[in-house]
Every structure is written in C-alpha cells, then in structure tokens.
Amino acid sequence: MESIKLSTGEEFPLEMHKVRIVQKIELKPIDRRFAAMQEAGNNTFLLRNRDIFLDMLSDSGVNAMSDRQMAAMMVADDSYAGGESFFRLESVLQRVFKMKYFLPAHQGRACEHLLSRVLVKPGSIVPMNVHFTTTKAHIGLQGGTVLEIPADEAFNIASKEPFKGNIDIDKLKKAFAEHGKNIPFVRIEAGGNLLGGQPVSLANIKETSALCKKNGVPLMIDASLLQDNLYFIKVREAACKDKTVLEICNEVAACADIIYFSARKLGSARGGGICLNNDALYEQLKPLVPLFEGFLTYGGMSVKEIEAIAVGIEESMDMDMISQGPSFIRFMVDELVKAGVPVVTPAGGLGCHLDAKAFLPHVKQAEFQAASLAAALFIISGVRGMERGTVSEERNPDGSEHFSAIELVRLALPRRVFTMSQVKFVTDRVIWLFKNKDLVGGLKWRKEPNILRFFFGELDAVGGWQEKLVKKFKQDFGTGL
Ligand code: F0G
C-alpha cells in the first residue's frame, strides 16, 4: 500500500505481504566493519556477505519471492525439450505483452548479446534514452555506437520532473535525419537505471514509437525495470490513473517491436527473455538461443526459475505488489530530503541514490567522492551500497581519468526484502554521516585493473580519515553498532 496514516498523523508505506521465510543477518561491530572494508580495498563489490548487515548493492536476483512463486517451482517440468514450464511462461508473457514469439535467455545481458549480434553492425548508431553498462558493451562489441539522448532534465539531480527517463523527441528526430539507415533500432530503457531508476512516460513511449514507425525503424524496450515504471505511469501520468496495471502494460508493449528483460529484476526470480512479433527477426534469433544459451524451451534458465518468473510477472500486474519498492524508496528519499541530505529526486524505482558530489563537496572528484561515500557508509552502518560514479567509468584512451557527470551512491531496495525499521535505520545512519561529512576524505588506487575496474579494483583511504570516522562513531553510539 502506498501509505497509511497513523492516529498521530505520521504517514508511511504499509507492507501488503507477510514474511514467511526469513534469513538471519548480523550487524557486526564497527571495528569489524572497518577491517572488512580495508580487506575489500574500499570496494563494496569485494565485501563478503557475512560482514554485511543490509545489502543494498543491487535489486538484481535478490527480490523477495512469493509463496506462489515458491510453490510453482515445485511443479517445474525439467524436460530438456518441450517442457511445460516454458509454455506457462510464454502464455503469461503473451497476456502482458501480447507478442507472438518468446525466446528465453539466461539473463538480461544474454538477450542484449543475441539482439546485438543480429541487429548491430560496424557503423550502427543506436539512439536510446539512457544506456546500461551491459547494453553499451554488447552494442560496442558488434562495432556499433550508443547515442544517448535523454531529456535535458535527466541529469538535473534535484528535480521535480516526474518522467526524467524520457527520451528527447527532438534529438531523436535529429538522429534519424543525420544517421538514417545506420540506425538498426531505437532503445528505451523503462525505467532508466543509471539515471537513478527514473521512469519514462507512456506518452513519451507512444511518441517515440510513432516516430520509429514513420522512419521504418523498430523500437526496442528494455523492460528490466518495467515493474517500477508501470507503477509510476499509473500514479504520475494523469491520463493513466484509471487504467489497470495490465492495461498500461499492454499499451506500453503495443508501442514496441521488441521487448527484452532481465528477470533478475522483472518477475523477481533469475532469468531473461526476448518477446517479438517479426517473423524474419525471430528466425534469425532462434538458432542463436541453443547455440549460446540452451534449448529453445529453457534458454539457459533453470526450469524452476522459469516457473517463478511466470508467477512473478503475473503478480507484477498488482498495484499492492509493484507499489512496495517505489513507496519505500519515496519514504527514504523524503526523510533524507527533510534532513537536507542531497539525493536524486523525484524518488525513482530500484533504490535511493545519494548525490556524492553535493554530499562531499570538500573531496576532489579525482579522489572518488561516490566510492568514498559508499565506503564510509558501510563502515558506520554495515549497509552496502554501490558506487555509480567515476570508479564505474573507464579511463580515456590517453590514460587520463574519465570523470563521471554525476557521482552517485545507489542504495538499492530489492522488492519486499527490507522492513520499515531497516529502512529507518539506514536513513538515520545516512543522516548521521551527513552531519559528520567533514570527517570523510578521499580514496586513491591501490590496485587498478584495466577492465571492469569497479568490480575488482582496490583503493586506499587518503590520510587517516577512516580511523577518525570510527572514533567519532564510537563517541556518539558507544556500543560500536
Ligand atoms: N538492463 C537493465 C536496465 C539492467 O538494469 C540490467 C541489470 C540489465 C539490462 C542486464 O541484466 O543483469 O540480468 O544481465 N542491472 C543490474 C543492476 C546488474 O545491478 O542494476 P542482467
């Protein structure tokens, strides 16, 4: 439920589910958290789960599953070919997307691999509202280039614009005029992950679709974060407020020629798939599935996951289910804004995004504000976030640092995983850190890999700021927790 009002006037989102299976977690004392962060080279990817209290790294593959999903896993059909599990998922997808064909793949990036292989050639230009790391890599591998054309508002961190994920229609017109035949497809990511989970409006998707049709170019929708985006369309787009989630989903899908998704997000399980109508394209993609993924009726997924995805996607048509993530995120964003903490607004899907540049203005960008903030937050709370700034970029060809336009720390809220008291805990610790921000300093490379440095790189604190932060925390909280 979006929110409930207490007799005291306090309002907060109320969980429309009860917890039936739990996993124990531990809040280790600050000395251990500090030691763990050192061992991990101040890179939250290198932490071990045993040292983490609340894991807010990602929502990928870690959403809570429902009792109905777990039950469905017990009746999975594990035939190598022709398994019924596939047909159950296919029929759910046909109901929500109304497309003729479904090709399974083991996760979202596998769909991007297959689609790029068939559609992208050297010299191809692919316009999109925003790239995702794996999308850009796969298009690049085939010799294509991403042309990112979000509306200008997308990079305005503190904004009230409800659909910061929209593509800029004028820039898309210009792209068609300039690159014409070199555009194999237009891609809309609904919603925009690297923009802070910001949604795209149905009106913008419709306009993009009309423009694509006029130019004879297919529109591809990355539906990995569609669940949150459907929620935002319903609550923020006046024309859609009386439509059901399924109706909105059908309308979004009707605009697309190709839809693909990471079921590690959409469907709250682990897998992926491509839906489409075009016979010729289907015939081109079809042989690649057994070649790279697995036979056509499992595509590299476990059949248990296929069953869970089918139920998960069906359940995504329910407002109680899809409002949980965004309303918890909004609660957290609102509380942080009230305390003056710089965060991406309006609240989006996926998680709450801290603006590290504004949070740590005294730290140089060359000393990695977002990575420093993520390390500091883990030390003082046991909460693991993800750096989305300069460390996540690659160096320029001349070896100089490529500074990211925005420096964010993502605190993902996997759907239905965390309770309100845990969200209050994180919020409180972020506010404490903000009040003590002057104690946070920068980082420098200890070990910098050439590729995917944000996954494997290790950094050291510049000066002894982390020890001072630990000392202040102990003064304020006594127990070290
Ligand atoms: N598209 C979007 C919008 C995504 O957010 C992701 C993954 C993918 C494609 C790739 O899907 O992981 O199943 O291969 N996002 C994850 C994240 C990794 O943490 O945000 P995948």
Side-chain angles (χ1 to χ4, degrees):
M1 187 186 283
E2 276 208 62
S3 81
I4 191 99
K5 205 167 187 170
L6 297 188
S7 52
T8 57
E10 190 192 345
E11 272 189 61
F12 54 77
L14 189 61
E15 294 87 344
M16 286 293 112
H17 55 264
K18 58 184 174 182
V19 179
R20 304 287 298 280
I21 294 181
V22 297
Q23 186 173 39
K24 192 171 154 45
I25 48 176
E26 208 183 329
L27 177 56
K28 298 255 169 96
I30 191 161
D31 288 332
R32 175 60 210 146
R33 303 196 298 254
F34 179 35
M37 199 76 258
Q38 304 292 295
E39 289 157 21
N42 287 294
N43 180 348
T44 58
F45 275 102
L46 299 180
L47 286 165
R48 286 186 59 165
N49 198 35
R50 64 178 185 197
D51 292 315
I52 296 167
F53 177 47
L54 302 178
D55 192 359
M56 298 189 160
L57 185 76
S58 179
D59 63 335
S60 174
V62 289
N63 290 321
M65 290 174 63
S66 72
D67 50 355
R68 292 183 59 244
Q69 284 183 289
M70 300 294 278
M73 289 174 102
M74 301 309 290
V75 292
D77 177 353
D78 58 5
S79 317
Y80 181 85
E84 281 305 313
S85 299
F86 170 82
F87 295 105
R88 276 193 278 273
L89 175 55
E90 185 188 51
S91 87
V92 170
L93 288 167
Q94 276 165 354
R95 197 167 89 88
V96 299
F97 295 149
K98 299 196 179 298
M99 287 196 169
K100 197 162 156 193
Y101 300 115
F102 165 53
L103 290 165
H106 79 275
Q107 63 185 88
R109 67 199 69 184
C111 305
E112 291 168 342
H113 167 223
L114 304 182
L115 288 164
S116 300
R117 227 169 220 278
V118 170
L119 296 170
V120 179
K121 290 195 287 291
S124 292
I125 307 280
V126 186
M128 56 185 71
N129 55 340
V130 59
H131 79 279
F132 185 68
T133 51
T134 53
T135 326
K136 192 171 175 176
H138 280 296
I139 290 172
L141 268 179
Q142 302 303 323
T145 309
V146 164
L147 177 65
E148 220 171 17
I149 45 169
D152 291 340
E153 197 64 10
F155 295 110
N156 181 6
I157 289 185
S159 164
K160 287 196 161 56
E161 162 61 43
F163 292 104
K164 284 204 306 189
N166 281 355
I167 200 164
D168 187 316
I169 298 291
D170 288 333
K171 287 186 188 146
L172 183 58
K173 283 183 188 158
K174 209 165 139 235
F176 278 127
E178 271 173 33
H179 305 293
K181 293 268 171 291
N182 285 332
I183 299 180
F185 60 90
V186 172
R187 174 178 173 275
I188 285 189
E189 191 174 296
N193 185 332
L194 298 184
L195 298 174
Q198 295 295 322
V200 187
S201 70
L202 179 58
N204 187 254
I205 296 174
K206 283 186 175 168
E207 235 183 310
T208 308
S209 172
L211 200 52
C212 286
K213 282 201 173 65
K214 199 170 134 199
N215 286 275
V217 169
L219 174 63
M220 181 188 290
I221 294 183
D222 177 343
S224 305
L225 290 168
L226 183 65
Q227 183 181 311
D228 297 337
N229 207 120
L230 291 173
Y231 164 82
F232 288 120
I233 290 176
K234 179 146 169 85
V235 301
R236 292 185 186 170
E237 201 163 345
C240 297
K241 74 175 194 325
D242 296 326
K243 291 178 183 164
T244 65
V245 180
L246 180 61
E247 282 164 353
I248 298 171
C249 187
N250 289 162
E251 279 192 51
V252 168
C255 294
D257 299 284
I258 303 157
I259 297 179
Y260 76 92
F261 56 92
S262 166
R264 298 179 65 83
K265 294 174 186 279
L266 184 72
S268 298
R270 283 141 293 261
I274 303 168
C275 300
L276 71 165
N277 282 321
N278 186 288
D279 300 312
L281 183 58
Y282 174 72
E283 291 305 329
Q284 277 178 288
L285 285 164
K286 191 166 130 177
L288 300 184
V289 175
L291 191 58
F292 291 107
E293 298 297 311
F295 190 71
L296 274 181
T297 51
Y298 73 92
M301 283 184 274
S302 138
V303 286
K304 289 189 167 52
E305 298 290 338
I306 293 179
E307 293 283 0
I309 297 165
V311 175
I313 290 181
E314 221 173 68
E315 290 178 346
S316 301
M317 299 299 120
D318 169 8
M319 261 315 253
D320 276 343
M321 195 276 168
I322 66 173
S323 63
Q324 191 278 331
S327 56
F328 267 50
I329 294 164
R330 191 187 56 231
F331 175 84
M332 194 167 162
V333 166
D334 286 351
E335 292 298 304
L336 292 174
V337 167
K338 267 189 247 165
V341 178
V343 287
V344 173
T345 59
L350 205 171
C352 168
H353 295 72
L354 306 178
D355 174 7
K357 264 191 193 173
F359 201 113
L360 302 176
H362 55 286
V363 175
K364 291 191 265 266
Q365 197 172 10
E367 291 184 353
F368 311 118
Q369 293 143 317
S372 301
L373 184 56
L377 181 64
F378 176 76
I379 293 171
I380 63 114
S381 66
V383 173
R384 166 159 80 163
M386 185 191 283
E387 193 271 359
R388 293 271 104 167
T390 297
V391 170
S392 297
E393 298 281 348
E394 307 211 329
R395 281 186 182 266
N396 295 319
D398 68 1
S400 58
E401 272 297 354
H402 179 88
F403 292 111
S404 175
I406 45 180
E407 296 278 342
L408 303 180
V409 173
R410 172 172 100 178
L411 299 175
L413 289 191
R415 295 157 192 87
R416 296 186 294 189
V417 169
F418 297 122
T419 61
M420 183 45 69
S421 53
Q422 289 168 335
V423 169
K424 284 186 175 175
F425 168 82
V426 187
T427 308
D428 174 76
R429 291 304 192 256
V430 172
I431 294 171
W432 181 87
L433 190 60
F434 186 62
K435 287 184 183 146
N436 290 277
K437 63 181 189 302
D438 293 339
L439 292 172
V440 180
L443 300 171
K444 60 175 189 296
W445 289 111
R446 180 198 298 171
K447 222 194 263 176
E448 185 190 349
N450 287 334
I451 47 159
L452 297 175
R453 63 183 196 170
F454 69 97
F455 278 141
F456 312 123
E458 296 175 31
L459 301 104
D460 284 318
V462 179
W465 65 265
Q466 294 184 328
E467 286 80 358
K468 287 183 200 139
L469 186 68
V470 170
K471 198 167 151 215
K472 179 67 169 32
F473 182 90
K474 285 183 181 169
Q475 272 169 17
D476 284 9
F477 292 101
T479 64
L481 294 179

